[in-house]
Amino acid sequence: NVSMKSILKYLLKIRKNLKKKTIDKEKLIIFQSCSRHPSEYIRAVVDRKTGKPKIRKDGKTQYTSQPIQAKIAQKMINDGKEFYVGQQIPYIITSTEGGLKGVHEEEYKNNYDFKYYWVNKVYSPVKRMLEVAYKNFDWDKLDE
């Protein structure tokens, strides 16, 4: 039986290592496939009421943004690297400012986004279970 104290100690250790940037690159890599060519992810946003493309305030058509794996795949193509539809793209999140930004794992230079990895990949998934198992502890304290 694992105690709440040992779980808390373990989580704090992970958070500390994430902040200090001592996490191995292999543990940070996210794999997502590109199910179509990166250019096919960009298309006009259609207004549900009118069925016509939405127009921004500046008069230009509003387009969807590419998911992070498509952006990285597009960079691979631009750099002359091999890409095929369905390929698993290994990347690391470097920033969340103004949308997700990341780099192909080959271009990684120890500059990952601490908050993204802590909140989205480590803490949030286990927090839901911990709140059920240990109801008397304020798990929001670790939401940093």
Side-chain angles (χ1 to χ4, degrees), residues 46-90:
V46 177
D47 187 299
R48 289 183 181 174
K49 292 179 183 176
T50 65
K52 296 180 181 178
K54 285 188 177 182
I55 306 300
R56 298 186 325 208
K57 290 181 181 179
D58 64 6
K60 296 181 180 177
T61 303
Q62 181 179 341
Y63 290 93
T64 58
S65 61
Q66 288 175 309
I68 186 74
Q69 73 272 19
K71 289 177 185 175
I72 293 169
Q74 185 62 59
K75 184 174 184 326
M76 290 169 58
I77 293 167
N78 295 346
D79 292 347
K81 294 182 179 172
E82 179 183 12
F83 169 78
Y84 57 88
V85 172
Q87 181 175 353
Q88 289 283 312
I89 308 297

Short mmCIF file of all heavy atoms in Angstrom, two decimals, residues 46-90:
data_model
loop_
_atom_site.label_atom_id
_atom_site.label_comp_id
_atom_site.label_asym_id
_atom_site.label_seq_id
_atom_site.Cartn_x
_atom_site.Cartn_y
_atom_site.Cartn_z
N VAL A 46 -15.28 27.72 -41.56
CA VAL A 46 -16.62 27.93 -42.12
C VAL A 46 -17.59 28.31 -41.01
O VAL A 46 -17.64 27.68 -39.95
CB VAL A 46 -17.10 26.65 -42.85
CG1 VAL A 46 -18.51 26.82 -43.37
CG2 VAL A 46 -16.14 26.29 -43.98
N ASP A 47 -18.34 29.37 -41.26
CA ASP A 47 -19.37 29.82 -40.33
C ASP A 47 -20.51 28.82 -40.35
O ASP A 47 -21.03 28.48 -41.42
CB ASP A 47 -19.86 31.21 -40.76
CG ASP A 47 -20.82 31.82 -39.76
OD1 ASP A 47 -21.88 31.21 -39.51
OD2 ASP A 47 -20.50 32.89 -39.22
N ARG A 48 -20.92 28.34 -39.20
CA ARG A 48 -21.98 27.31 -39.12
C ARG A 48 -23.33 27.82 -39.61
O ARG A 48 -24.12 27.07 -40.17
CB ARG A 48 -22.12 26.80 -37.69
CG ARG A 48 -20.98 25.95 -37.24
CD ARG A 48 -21.22 25.42 -35.87
NE ARG A 48 -20.08 24.62 -35.43
CZ ARG A 48 -19.95 24.12 -34.23
NH1 ARG A 48 -20.88 24.32 -33.33
NH2 ARG A 48 -18.90 23.40 -33.92
N LYS A 49 -23.60 29.09 -39.37
CA LYS A 49 -24.90 29.64 -39.75
C LYS A 49 -25.00 29.87 -41.26
O LYS A 49 -26.00 29.53 -41.88
CB LYS A 49 -25.16 30.95 -39.02
CG LYS A 49 -25.37 30.78 -37.53
CD LYS A 49 -25.60 32.11 -36.86
CE LYS A 49 -25.74 31.93 -35.36
NZ LYS A 49 -25.88 33.21 -34.65
N THR A 50 -23.95 30.47 -41.83
CA THR A 50 -24.02 30.84 -43.24
C THR A 50 -23.45 29.78 -44.17
O THR A 50 -23.76 29.75 -45.35
CB THR A 50 -23.26 32.16 -43.50
OG1 THR A 50 -21.87 31.94 -43.24
CG2 THR A 50 -23.80 33.28 -42.64
N GLY A 51 -22.56 28.94 -43.65
CA GLY A 51 -21.90 27.94 -44.48
C GLY A 51 -20.79 28.53 -45.34
O GLY A 51 -20.22 27.86 -46.19
N LYS A 52 -20.48 29.81 -45.11
CA LYS A 52 -19.44 30.50 -45.87
C LYS A 52 -18.20 30.68 -45.01
O LYS A 52 -18.29 30.67 -43.79
CB LYS A 52 -19.94 31.87 -46.35
CG LYS A 52 -21.09 31.77 -47.31
CD LYS A 52 -21.55 33.14 -47.74
CE LYS A 52 -22.73 33.00 -48.71
NZ LYS A 52 -23.23 34.30 -49.12
N PRO A 53 -17.04 30.86 -45.65
CA PRO A 53 -15.82 31.10 -44.88
C PRO A 53 -15.94 32.35 -44.00
O PRO A 53 -16.52 33.35 -44.41
CB PRO A 53 -14.74 31.30 -45.95
CG PRO A 53 -15.28 30.63 -47.16
CD PRO A 53 -16.77 30.80 -47.08
N LYS A 54 -15.39 32.25 -42.79
CA LYS A 54 -15.40 33.40 -41.88
C LYS A 54 -14.36 34.41 -42.33
O LYS A 54 -13.28 34.05 -42.77
CB LYS A 54 -15.08 32.97 -40.45
CG LYS A 54 -16.22 32.26 -39.75
CD LYS A 54 -15.88 32.04 -38.30
CE LYS A 54 -17.05 31.40 -37.57
NZ LYS A 54 -16.76 31.24 -36.14
N ILE A 55 -14.73 35.67 -42.17
CA ILE A 55 -13.83 36.76 -42.55
C ILE A 55 -13.40 37.49 -41.27
O ILE A 55 -14.23 37.85 -40.44
CB ILE A 55 -14.53 37.76 -43.51
CG1 ILE A 55 -15.10 37.03 -44.73
CG2 ILE A 55 -13.58 38.88 -43.92
CD1 ILE A 55 -14.08 36.29 -45.58
N ARG A 56 -12.09 37.70 -41.15
CA ARG A 56 -11.55 38.41 -39.98
C ARG A 56 -11.83 39.90 -40.10
O ARG A 56 -12.24 40.38 -41.16
CB ARG A 56 -10.04 38.17 -39.86
CG ARG A 56 -9.68 36.72 -39.67
CD ARG A 56 -8.22 36.51 -39.43
NE ARG A 56 -7.36 37.44 -40.17
CZ ARG A 56 -6.13 37.19 -40.55
NH1 ARG A 56 -5.58 36.04 -40.26
NH2 ARG A 56 -5.42 38.08 -41.20
N LYS A 57 -11.58 40.64 -39.02
CA LYS A 57 -11.81 42.09 -39.02
C LYS A 57 -10.96 42.81 -40.06
O LYS A 57 -11.36 43.86 -40.57
CB LYS A 57 -11.53 42.67 -37.63
CG LYS A 57 -12.57 42.26 -36.62
CD LYS A 57 -12.29 42.87 -35.26
CE LYS A 57 -13.35 42.40 -34.27
NZ LYS A 57 -13.14 42.91 -32.94
N ASP A 58 -9.79 42.25 -40.38
CA ASP A 58 -8.93 42.89 -41.37
C ASP A 58 -9.36 42.58 -42.82
O ASP A 58 -8.70 42.97 -43.77
CB ASP A 58 -7.46 42.52 -41.16
CG ASP A 58 -7.18 41.04 -41.36
OD1 ASP A 58 -8.09 40.28 -41.76
OD2 ASP A 58 -6.03 40.63 -41.10
N GLY A 59 -10.48 41.83 -42.97
CA GLY A 59 -11.01 41.53 -44.29
C GLY A 59 -10.49 40.25 -44.92
O GLY A 59 -10.92 39.86 -45.99
N LYS A 60 -9.56 39.57 -44.26
CA LYS A 60 -8.99 38.35 -44.80
C LYS A 60 -9.75 37.13 -44.28
O LYS A 60 -10.33 37.16 -43.21
CB LYS A 60 -7.51 38.24 -44.43
CG LYS A 60 -6.68 39.34 -45.06
CD LYS A 60 -5.22 39.18 -44.69
CE LYS A 60 -4.40 40.31 -45.33
NZ LYS A 60 -3.00 40.26 -44.95
N THR A 61 -9.69 36.06 -45.05
CA THR A 61 -10.33 34.81 -44.65
C THR A 61 -9.63 34.23 -43.44
O THR A 61 -8.40 34.26 -43.36
CB THR A 61 -10.29 33.79 -45.81
OG1 THR A 61 -10.94 34.37 -46.94
CG2 THR A 61 -11.00 32.50 -45.44
N GLN A 62 -10.40 33.70 -42.51
CA GLN A 62 -9.85 33.07 -41.32
C GLN A 62 -9.56 31.60 -41.63
O GLN A 62 -10.40 30.90 -42.18
CB GLN A 62 -10.85 33.16 -40.16
CG GLN A 62 -10.35 32.54 -38.87
CD GLN A 62 -11.37 32.68 -37.75
OE1 GLN A 62 -12.27 33.50 -37.79
NE2 GLN A 62 -11.22 31.86 -36.73
N TYR A 63 -8.35 31.15 -41.30
CA TYR A 63 -7.95 29.77 -41.55
C TYR A 63 -7.68 29.04 -40.24
O TYR A 63 -7.33 29.65 -39.24
CB TYR A 63 -6.68 29.71 -42.42
CG TYR A 63 -6.94 30.14 -43.84
CD1 TYR A 63 -6.75 31.45 -44.24
CD2 TYR A 63 -7.41 29.22 -44.78
CE1 TYR A 63 -7.00 31.85 -45.55
CE2 TYR A 63 -7.66 29.61 -46.09
CZ TYR A 63 -7.46 30.92 -46.46
OH TYR A 63 -7.72 31.30 -47.75
N THR A 64 -7.85 27.71 -40.29
CA THR A 64 -7.51 26.89 -39.13
C THR A 64 -6.00 26.88 -38.98
O THR A 64 -5.27 27.11 -39.94
CB THR A 64 -7.99 25.43 -39.31
OG1 THR A 64 -7.39 24.91 -40.49
CG2 THR A 64 -9.50 25.34 -39.41
N SER A 65 -5.53 26.62 -37.77
CA SER A 65 -4.08 26.53 -37.58
C SER A 65 -3.68 25.06 -37.64
O SER A 65 -4.47 24.16 -37.35
CB SER A 65 -3.68 27.14 -36.24
OG SER A 65 -4.29 26.46 -35.18
N GLN A 66 -2.45 24.83 -38.01
CA GLN A 66 -1.93 23.47 -38.07
C GLN A 66 -1.68 22.94 -36.67
O GLN A 66 -1.19 23.69 -35.82
CB GLN A 66 -0.60 23.43 -38.81
CG GLN A 66 -0.66 23.64 -40.29
CD GLN A 66 0.74 23.69 -40.89
OE1 GLN A 66 1.58 24.42 -40.42
NE2 GLN A 66 0.95 22.92 -41.93
N PRO A 67 -1.96 21.67 -36.43
CA PRO A 67 -1.54 21.10 -35.15
C PRO A 67 -0.02 21.05 -35.11
O PRO A 67 0.65 21.09 -36.14
CB PRO A 67 -2.15 19.70 -35.16
CG PRO A 67 -2.56 19.42 -36.56
CD PRO A 67 -2.68 20.74 -37.27
N ILE A 68 0.53 20.96 -33.92
CA ILE A 68 1.97 21.03 -33.73
C ILE A 68 2.73 19.99 -34.57
O ILE A 68 3.75 20.30 -35.16
CB ILE A 68 2.34 20.95 -32.22
CG1 ILE A 68 3.82 21.17 -32.00
CG2 ILE A 68 1.91 19.64 -31.62
CD1 ILE A 68 4.27 22.58 -32.14
N GLN A 69 2.21 18.77 -34.64
CA GLN A 69 2.93 17.75 -35.41
C GLN A 69 2.96 18.09 -36.90
O GLN A 69 3.93 17.79 -37.60
CB GLN A 69 2.38 16.35 -35.17
CG GLN A 69 1.04 16.04 -35.81
CD GLN A 69 -0.15 16.41 -34.95
OE1 GLN A 69 -0.04 17.20 -34.02
NE2 GLN A 69 -1.29 15.82 -35.24
N ALA A 70 1.92 18.77 -37.40
CA ALA A 70 1.90 19.18 -38.81
C ALA A 70 2.89 20.32 -39.05
O ALA A 70 3.55 20.36 -40.09
CB ALA A 70 0.49 19.60 -39.22
N LYS A 71 3.01 21.24 -38.09
CA LYS A 71 3.99 22.32 -38.22
C LYS A 71 5.40 21.75 -38.28
O LYS A 71 6.23 22.19 -39.08
CB LYS A 71 3.88 23.29 -37.05
CG LYS A 71 2.63 24.13 -37.06
CD LYS A 71 2.56 25.01 -35.83
CE LYS A 71 1.24 25.76 -35.78
NZ LYS A 71 1.08 26.52 -34.54
N ILE A 72 5.68 20.78 -37.43
CA ILE A 72 7.01 20.18 -37.40
C ILE A 72 7.25 19.37 -38.67
O ILE A 72 8.33 19.40 -39.24
CB ILE A 72 7.20 19.37 -36.11
CG1 ILE A 72 7.22 20.35 -34.93
CG2 ILE A 72 8.48 18.54 -36.16
CD1 ILE A 72 7.15 19.73 -33.57
N ALA A 73 6.22 18.66 -39.14
CA ALA A 73 6.34 17.91 -40.40
C ALA A 73 6.61 18.86 -41.57
O ALA A 73 7.42 18.57 -42.45
CB ALA A 73 5.08 17.09 -40.66
N GLN A 74 5.94 20.02 -41.58
CA GLN A 74 6.17 21.01 -42.64
C GLN A 74 7.61 21.50 -42.61
O GLN A 74 8.26 21.65 -43.65
CB GLN A 74 5.21 22.19 -42.51
CG GLN A 74 5.31 23.19 -43.65
CD GLN A 74 4.95 22.56 -44.99
OE1 GLN A 74 3.84 22.07 -45.17
NE2 GLN A 74 5.88 22.59 -45.94
N LYS A 75 8.15 21.71 -41.42
CA LYS A 75 9.55 22.13 -41.30
C LYS A 75 10.48 21.02 -41.81
O LYS A 75 11.47 21.29 -42.47
CB LYS A 75 9.90 22.50 -39.86
CG LYS A 75 11.32 23.04 -39.72
CD LYS A 75 11.60 23.53 -38.35
CE LYS A 75 12.96 24.15 -38.19
NZ LYS A 75 14.06 23.64 -38.93
N MET A 76 10.13 19.77 -41.51
CA MET A 76 10.93 18.65 -42.02
C MET A 76 10.97 18.68 -43.56
O MET A 76 12.02 18.51 -44.16
CB MET A 76 10.34 17.32 -41.54
CG MET A 76 10.51 17.05 -40.07
SD MET A 76 9.52 15.64 -39.47
CE MET A 76 10.11 14.30 -40.51
N ILE A 77 9.81 18.89 -44.16
CA ILE A 77 9.71 18.96 -45.62
C ILE A 77 10.56 20.12 -46.14
O ILE A 77 11.34 19.96 -47.08
CB ILE A 77 8.24 19.09 -46.07
CG1 ILE A 77 7.47 17.81 -45.74
CG2 ILE A 77 8.14 19.43 -47.56
CD1 ILE A 77 5.96 17.94 -45.84
N ASN A 78 10.40 21.29 -45.51
CA ASN A 78 11.16 22.48 -45.93
C ASN A 78 12.66 22.26 -45.81
O ASN A 78 13.44 22.81 -46.59
CB ASN A 78 10.75 23.70 -45.11
CG ASN A 78 9.31 24.11 -45.35
OD1 ASN A 78 8.67 23.66 -46.28
ND2 ASN A 78 8.79 24.95 -44.47
N ASP A 79 13.08 21.47 -44.81
CA ASP A 79 14.50 21.19 -44.60
C ASP A 79 15.02 20.03 -45.45
O ASP A 79 16.16 19.60 -45.32
CB ASP A 79 14.77 20.88 -43.12
CG ASP A 79 14.58 22.08 -42.21
OD1 ASP A 79 14.47 23.21 -42.73
OD2 ASP A 79 14.53 21.90 -40.97
N GLY A 80 14.13 19.47 -46.30
CA GLY A 80 14.53 18.39 -47.19
C GLY A 80 14.60 17.02 -46.51
O GLY A 80 15.20 16.10 -47.05
N LYS A 81 13.95 16.90 -45.36
CA LYS A 81 13.96 15.60 -44.67
C LYS A 81 12.79 14.75 -45.15
O LYS A 81 11.80 15.25 -45.68
CB LYS A 81 13.86 15.82 -43.15
CG LYS A 81 15.07 16.52 -42.58
CD LYS A 81 14.97 16.67 -41.10
CE LYS A 81 16.23 17.35 -40.56
NZ LYS A 81 16.12 17.70 -39.17
N GLU A 82 12.90 13.47 -44.92
CA GLU A 82 11.86 12.53 -45.34
C GLU A 82 10.58 12.75 -44.54
O GLU A 82 10.62 12.91 -43.32
CB GLU A 82 12.35 11.10 -45.13
CG GLU A 82 11.32 10.06 -45.52
CD GLU A 82 11.77 8.63 -45.24
OE1 GLU A 82 12.77 8.43 -44.54
OE2 GLU A 82 11.08 7.73 -45.70
N PHE A 83 9.46 12.75 -45.25
CA PHE A 83 8.14 12.81 -44.61
C PHE A 83 7.18 11.99 -45.45
O PHE A 83 7.22 12.04 -46.68
CB PHE A 83 7.61 14.24 -44.51
CG PHE A 83 6.16 14.26 -44.09
CD1 PHE A 83 5.80 14.06 -42.77
CD2 PHE A 83 5.15 14.41 -45.04
CE1 PHE A 83 4.46 14.02 -42.40
CE2 PHE A 83 3.82 14.38 -44.67
CZ PHE A 83 3.47 14.19 -43.35
N TYR A 84 6.31 11.26 -44.78
CA TYR A 84 5.22 10.55 -45.47
C TYR A 84 3.97 10.61 -44.60
O TYR A 84 4.06 10.71 -43.38
CB TYR A 84 5.61 9.10 -45.79
CG TYR A 84 6.02 8.28 -44.59
CD1 TYR A 84 5.08 7.59 -43.83
CD2 TYR A 84 7.37 8.22 -44.20
CE1 TYR A 84 5.46 6.86 -42.71
CE2 TYR A 84 7.75 7.48 -43.09
CZ TYR A 84 6.79 6.80 -42.35
OH TYR A 84 7.17 6.08 -41.24
N VAL A 85 2.82 10.61 -45.25
CA VAL A 85 1.54 10.66 -44.53
C VAL A 85 1.45 9.43 -43.64
O VAL A 85 1.73 8.31 -44.06
CB VAL A 85 0.36 10.73 -45.52
CG1 VAL A 85 -0.97 10.59 -44.80
CG2 VAL A 85 0.40 12.04 -46.29
N GLY A 86 1.07 9.66 -42.39
CA GLY A 86 0.97 8.58 -41.41
C GLY A 86 2.22 8.46 -40.54
O GLY A 86 2.23 7.70 -39.58
N GLN A 87 3.24 9.22 -40.87
CA GLN A 87 4.50 9.15 -40.12
C GLN A 87 4.32 9.66 -38.69
O GLN A 87 3.61 10.61 -38.44
CB GLN A 87 5.55 10.01 -40.83
CG GLN A 87 6.89 10.01 -40.17
CD GLN A 87 7.93 10.78 -40.99
OE1 GLN A 87 7.68 11.20 -42.12
NE2 GLN A 87 9.09 10.97 -40.43
N GLN A 88 4.97 8.97 -37.76
CA GLN A 88 5.01 9.41 -36.37
C GLN A 88 6.04 10.54 -36.27
O GLN A 88 7.19 10.36 -36.65
CB GLN A 88 5.42 8.27 -35.44
CG GLN A 88 4.37 7.19 -35.30
CD GLN A 88 3.25 7.62 -34.37
OE1 GLN A 88 3.48 8.11 -33.29
NE2 GLN A 88 2.02 7.45 -34.83
N ILE A 89 5.62 11.68 -35.75
CA ILE A 89 6.50 12.84 -35.62
C ILE A 89 6.91 12.94 -34.15
O ILE A 89 6.08 13.17 -33.28
CB ILE A 89 5.79 14.14 -36.06
CG1 ILE A 89 5.17 14.01 -37.45
CG2 ILE A 89 6.73 15.33 -35.96
CD1 ILE A 89 6.14 13.77 -38.57
N PRO A 90 8.21 12.77 -33.85
CA PRO A 90 8.68 12.89 -32.47
C PRO A 90 9.06 14.35 -32.18
O PRO A 90 9.91 14.92 -32.86
CB PRO A 90 9.92 11.98 -32.44
CG PRO A 90 10.45 12.03 -33.84
CD PRO A 90 9.27 12.27 -34.74
#
